[in-house]
Amino acid sequence: MKPQHLLAAATLVLATTAFAAGDPHDHAHAHTPLHGGVVVEVKDMDYELVAKPTVIQLHLRDHGKAADLSKATAKLTLLSGTDKQEIELKPAGDKLEATGSFKVGPGTKAVAVVTVAGKPATARFTLK
């Protein structure tokens, strides 16, 4: 076997092993949207972004249960083509929310920086 092929095979084996070992929790909960949005997981927390032209909502679930957002803060950046819009989301019951006029549609990218209980996290979304 040529050295290049041996290196490629070894890299594939190591990458597969790392991928299999990289997720220590059992995924007993589903990562499906409950509010019609797009879901991503960051640090064992599900972030569901619901983006409409007049309202943006961010729902957080910790292992399937709604997170306490009463003291949470969030900033969302929407990127749609060459347009960039920065939005501050405020606690609104069981979600973070902002109202206004937003350029959202399929392919829009969103980056949320959320702080819950003093711990910041960044979630990235692509709208469908």
Side-chain angles (χ1 to χ4, degrees):
M1 184 178 265
K2 293 183 178 182
Q4 301 93 323
H5 295 157
L6 184 58
L7 180 60
T11 302
L12 181 60
V13 168
L14 290 174
T16 303
T17 303
F19 176 76
D23 195 4
H25 67 285
D26 63 8
H27 276 92
H29 61 284
H31 302 290
T32 57
L34 300 180
H35 306 280
V38 178
V39 177
V40 299
E41 183 185 23
V42 179
K43 298 181 183 177
D44 289 340
M45 182 88 70
D46 286 347
Y47 293 75
E48 181 177 356
L49 179 66
V50 179
K52 298 179 181 175
T54 58
V55 66
I56 302 284
Q57 298 175 332
L58 187 61
H59 301 265
L60 279 70
R61 293 186 302 273
D62 186 0
H63 291 90
K65 297 178 185 171
D68 178 9
L69 302 175
S70 60
K71 297 178 184 172
T73 61
K75 291 190 180 186
L76 183 77
T77 302
L78 291 175
L79 303 168
S80 182
T82 59
D83 293 327
K84 177 179 177 181
Q85 191 172 14
E86 294 188 2
I87 304 151
E88 187 171 344
L89 302 174
K90 301 279 187 179
D94 64 346
K95 62 189 167 289
L96 297 166
E97 184 175 80
T99 57
S101 179
F102 309 108
K103 290 187 178 185
V104 295
T108 299
K109 307 258 189 243
V111 178
V113 178
V114 183
T115 303
V116 178
K119 298 178 182 175
T122 302
R124 291 173 173 76
F125 305 89
T126 301
L127 301 182
K128 297 178 182 178

